Amino acid sequence: MRLTTALLIALPAFAAAQQQFAFANTLQSWFEKAKSYLPDAASTPVTAAKAKAAAANINPLTVDNWQTVLSPSPSYASNNWQGPETWMVFVSGANKTCFGRCGGLEAAWNETAALFAADPTAPRLGYINCDRTPVLCAIWHAYPPTVWYIQLPVPEEDQSRAPTTVHIVGLNTTTTTTRDIVRIHTEKTYKKGGLFEGAFQPFDGWVAQLGLAKPVAYVLVGASMVPSWAFMIIISFVSRNIMNRRMGNPDAQRMRQAQRQAPLGGAPPANE
């Protein structure tokens, strides 16, 4: 009986303590959430330094500068490094060409650039945004998100050079990480990508050798801006003209047929 009475007296105290414990947990979660919105003073300078190093290590490519930028640098030749000069070019985009899914890869690429900035043997880095430079992407026949692993041969003393080797590595917008991009060079995973050869290769293809790459690119970009309904109207108009030429003019055919059926000489007899 005394035990039951003691329990009844202690129940309100237990309930109050439980409420205070729940309130303390809620208050702690509020503090943690508010703390997450505050900048970390220790990590902010490091992040800014990495961003600065990445920006300095990446060469933006445009229609006007890509052939100049993607050439063996004087420092490479002066150091007597053997073999071709290596470039990694990240082909990205925005809402139009990458459907807004390249944001994570952009961050991973910047982290890769910051890591390579401290390595003198790392490849040189380039960047193309197909939303901003659609003509260059048409010249290269490039599409995002990909990394182009380019090996530029150093000219010989007689100014002859070997062909440029281009491997294209596709990236996954959801699973590709900084480590995957770094491994393209360090573990030579670029060899798993396709080797770009043929007429439209932007360095040694015969279209580029004849100086037709840029005109063809402008035609392709212009055609991509034409709405699909305009193409349907043009195709319908052309096909109708072709059919009319094959079958002859219907009006002329009806006129010739009426002339054949008319009686020779004089007017037709009147109806009685």
Side-chain angles (χ1 to χ4, degrees):
M1 188 71 179
R2 291 180 182 178
L3 181 60
T4 303
T5 304
L7 288 175
L8 291 175
I9 295 173
L11 281 177
F14 282 128
Q18 187 69 21
Q19 290 178 357
Q20 290 179 358
F21 184 72
F23 177 74
N25 286 339
T26 304
L27 189 61
Q28 180 68 21
S29 66
W30 287 345
F31 277 124
E32 293 295 333
K33 188 174 182 181
K35 204 164 122 184
S36 65
Y37 289 107
L38 296 176
D40 189 352
S43 63
T44 300
V46 177
T47 304
K50 286 185 178 180
K52 186 176 180 180
N57 200 31
I58 297 175
N59 299 273
L61 302 181
T62 65
V63 177
D64 299 323
N65 74 350
W66 73 273
Q67 290 177 310
T68 304
V69 174
L70 292 179
S71 59
S73 61
S75 60
Y76 188 90
S78 63
N79 290 331
N80 295 321
W81 289 354
Q82 300 297 323
E85 181 175 350
T86 303
W87 278 80
M88 285 176 60
V89 179
F90 176 42
V91 180
S92 182
N95 293 331
K96 185 182 296 184
T97 56
C98 200
F99 307 103
R101 295 183 295 179
C102 283
L105 294 176
E106 295 265 356
W109 178 252
N110 290 333
E111 292 177 2
T112 302
L115 293 174
F116 281 165
D119 184 3
T121 64
R124 301 179 68 185
L125 303 180
Y127 174 80
I128 299 175
N129 189 308
C130 288
D131 275 32
R132 300 173 188 169
T133 57
V135 176
L136 179 56
C137 288
I139 292 174
W140 282 33
H141 293 270
Y143 55 90
T146 52
V147 168
W148 287 47
Y149 195 88
I150 303 170
Q151 293 174 303
L152 299 173
V154 179
E156 303 292 340
E157 293 182 357
D158 58 354
Q159 298 303 315
S160 62
R161 64 180 183 85
T164 301
T165 304
V166 180
H167 287 83
I168 303 176
V169 181
L171 304 180
N172 190 301
T173 56
T174 57
T175 61
T176 300
T177 62
T178 303
R179 182 181 178 185
D180 296 327
I181 299 176
V182 171
R183 289 172 59 192
I184 293 176
H185 173 68
T186 58
E187 299 184 14
K188 302 185 185 303
T189 58
Y190 68 87
K191 293 182 178 180
K192 299 179 181 179
L195 180 62
F196 190 7
E197 297 176 314
F200 293 100
Q201 206 252 37
F203 297 93
D204 301 319
W206 64 262
V207 175
Q209 296 296 327
L210 294 176
L212 300 176
K214 186 179 288 188
V216 170
Y218 276 107
V219 171
L220 293 175
V221 172
S224 66
M225 294 180 179
V226 178
S228 58
W229 57 264
F231 274 116
M232 296 300 296
I233 292 176
I234 294 172
I235 293 172
S236 177
F237 179 77
V238 172
S239 62
R240 185 172 298 178
N241 284 341
I242 294 174
M243 292 300 295
N244 288 340
R245 289 180 182 179
R246 288 184 177 180
M247 298 177 61
N249 193 337
D251 295 335
Q253 287 184 354
R254 284 194 294 268
M255 186 177 295
R256 286 194 297 269
Q257 186 176 3
Q259 290 176 354
R260 294 193 192 100
Q261 294 177 355
L264 298 176
N271 295 329
E272 296 181 356

